[in-house]
Amino acid sequence: MVDGHLEAITRVVGFAVSSDKAKKHLRAELLRRAEAVHIKIIAIDPLKPVAEQGPFDLILQKCRDEGWRQRLVEYAAQHPQTKLIDSFDSVQSLMTRETMLQHLTEPLSLHPPEDSRHSNTAELDTMSCAAPVQKALLAGCTEEEASQIIDDADIRFPLLAKPYYTDGRQGSHGLALIEDIDGLRRLVRGTGPPGIALPVMLQPFIEHGGCLFKVYVMGTSIALVHRPSLQLPPEDADVTAQRKGIQTMTRVSAFHSTSPMGCELVEGPPDWLLHKLAAALRTALNLQLFNFDLMRPTERDAPGSKGADFLVNINYFPGYEKLPNHAALMVDFLQSLLSPAKEQVSAKERGTQVQRHLSSCLDDAGSDSE
């Protein structure tokens, strides 16, 4: 007690992340904001015993080293008062594209809030979200098996081929556009261009106006970024012949939209849809820190569209530091975990409005799955 007043208790939060990620996230503004509300943030050194660096009230983790993970699990077991966000078991479901979207194989129907249903605007209609049809081509798959797989799934060219594993291993950020059966055969034979190889997940390409919506979720807070996305290349016989049915690229979000309106002007999903979808994913995945990529088909009745918005990718603990208000969002999130009662009041004051940003805030910022 100081001068008759109770001295505020400082809570300690450890970040168990790579050194590169720590440098990006743990900037001066974040540390200053956290200190102002009596939160001390520490970058946990993987080379030192965890207990020597604590005690911790909360640990946020994104580490792939098996030994470090085991030491964190042991520390959490020995210190039950310490919250570990998020659990390794929950994060594991995002490490392959096959398990990543398993909760959305059937469209998820989402309904607007009751107090909004009196409106006749189209935005407030019941909406649905689903994962695209996708099929795995595993290592050792033959050309005949690959052809049979896409025939049985009734998916048509062009197709997107994405790396099967999303755990940060070499090649996990590749992407290829498969234009025809010859391109598929080259992929299976391993004679295609460098940057993509089996195992992969195949998804039909669905025209979505060259705009992808990246939705960042941090507990109950949500931020949306309009991001230029992949569009089909123009028809050109000479260029098509050179590609021989397959072309590779770095990632969907590396493309610049050629939409005459510009990606920033494309209407995004309504706030209520994003909140309900994020809440459904938080429950299904048992995760607090993630983002997902959402695209809206330009033709709702196009083959493979299911008449729904598409959730095409989920990343754990993405690059929040790219967002303009990263520090404020992170401190609010930490407070929600450390002082849930106070955060409920704060959340009501903030309201449910989604923070929306343009793609420029993500430029030259690296991958979300770092």
Side-chain angles (χ1 to χ4, degrees), residues 8-15 25-43 58 60 325-336 338-339:
I9 299 175
T10 296
R11 314 297 291 275
V12 181
V13 176
F15 274 65
H25 277 263
L26 307 185
R27 297 174 179 172
E29 183 185 1
L30 173 60
L31 300 180
R32 176 181 56 78
R33 281 180 174 269
E35 185 178 2
V37 292
H38 309 288
I39 296 175
K40 181 180 181 181
I41 295 177
I42 296 174
L58 174 67
L60 272 56
N325 56 341
H326 157 249
L329 283 174
M330 179 58 74
V331 170
D332 283 349
F333 174 66
L334 297 179
Q335 286 185 291
S336 74
L338 295 171
S339 304

Side-chain angles (χ1 to χ4, degrees), residues 41-213:
I41 295 177
I42 296 174
I44 299 178
D45 188 337
L47 300 180
K48 298 179 180 178
V50 180
E52 292 182 4
Q53 303 174 68
F56 297 102
D57 297 284
L58 174 67
I59 294 176
L60 272 56
Q61 68 82 18
K62 186 173 185 178
C63 57
R64 297 189 174 103
D65 178 76
E66 185 61 36
W68 195 12
R69 283 193 283 183
Q70 185 58 38
R71 291 192 293 275
L72 288 171
V73 169
E74 291 173 355
Y75 177 86
Q78 295 166 6
H79 301 78
Q81 76 281 3
T82 302
K83 298 178 182 177
L84 181 62
I85 304 295
D86 281 298
S87 79
F88 292 107
D89 289 343
S90 297
V91 174
Q92 191 61 34
S93 68
L94 302 186
M95 295 299 100
T96 77
R97 295 190 186 278
E98 191 162 22
T99 56
M100 174 192 296
L101 304 178
Q102 60 186 332
H103 300 289
L104 288 168
T105 53
E106 295 297 328
L108 176 65
S109 293
L110 300 167
H111 308 283
E114 290 291 340
D115 58 0
S116 302
R117 294 188 184 185
H118 65 277
S119 172
N120 293 321
T121 60
E123 182 187 52
L124 294 174
D125 290 340
T126 296
M127 304 178 75
S128 61
C129 183
V133 176
Q134 56 178 16
K135 292 295 176 180
L137 298 186
L138 301 179
C141 179
T142 67
E143 296 178 40
E144 293 75 16
E145 289 170 340
S147 297
Q148 190 64 52
I149 286 172
I150 64 170
D151 286 344
D152 291 344
D154 194 26
I155 54 178
R156 309 174 188 178
F157 295 105
L159 303 174
L160 294 178
K162 302 178 180 181
Y164 182 86
Y165 294 103
T166 55
D167 55 3
R169 67 183 65 187
Q170 185 176 4
S172 60
H173 303 308
L175 177 69
L177 180 68
I178 311 297
E179 299 174 329
D180 52 36
I181 190 65
D182 289 335
L184 183 66
R185 289 168 178 161
R186 292 186 66 206
L187 172 67
V188 172
R189 289 198 303 264
T191 59
I196 193 75
L198 299 186
V200 299
M201 291 297 293
L202 294 180
Q203 299 173 353
F205 176 85
I206 296 175
E207 181 55 60
H208 53 287
C211 191
L212 191 74
F213 301 99

Side-chain angles (χ1 to χ4, degrees), residues 24 43 135 139 165 202 243 247 304 328 360:
K24 293 176 182 178
K135 292 295 176 180
Y165 294 103
L202 294 180
R243 290 195 299 258
Q247 62 170 319
S360 56

Side-chain angles (χ1 to χ4, degrees), residues 219-355:
T220 58
S221 296
I222 299 174
L224 174 72
V225 179
H226 289 229
R227 184 69 168 164
S229 179
L230 172 64
Q231 291 178 294
L232 289 179
E235 292 294 336
D236 184 311
D238 292 335
V239 174
T240 300
Q242 293 175 7
R243 290 195 299 258
K244 297 180 181 179
I246 181 174
Q247 62 170 319
T248 57
M249 59 282 292
T250 52
R251 59 186 185 276
V252 172
S253 58
F255 278 77
H256 297 287
S257 175
T258 57
S259 167
M261 292 179 60
C263 183
E264 286 80 2
L265 299 181
V266 176
E267 184 179 9
D271 285 8
W272 70 261
L273 175 68
L274 296 175
H275 274 289
K276 292 211 167 187
L277 180 54
L281 290 173
R282 279 198 306 271
T283 300
L285 300 171
N286 192 31
L287 294 175
Q288 298 276 349
L289 295 170
F290 61 94
N291 75 355
F292 57 89
D293 295 342
L294 195 67
M295 69 180 194
R296 317 194 80 183
T298 53
E299 297 181 20
R300 293 284 168 168
D301 57 351
S305 70
K306 303 181 183 179
D309 287 347
F310 276 111
L311 195 155
V312 295
N313 191 52
I314 307 175
N315 292 307
Y316 175 64
F317 204 154
Y320 295 112
E321 80 282 351
K322 304 169 189 175
L323 300 173
N325 56 341
H326 157 249
L329 283 174
M330 179 58 74
V331 170
D332 283 349
F333 174 66
L334 297 179
Q335 286 185 291
S336 74
L337 297 172
L338 295 171
S339 304
K342 291 182 180 179
E343 174 57 18
Q344 287 180 7
V345 176
S346 177
K348 289 181 179 179
E349 294 174 348
R350 289 197 305 270
T352 58
Q353 184 175 3
V354 172
Q355 301 183 33

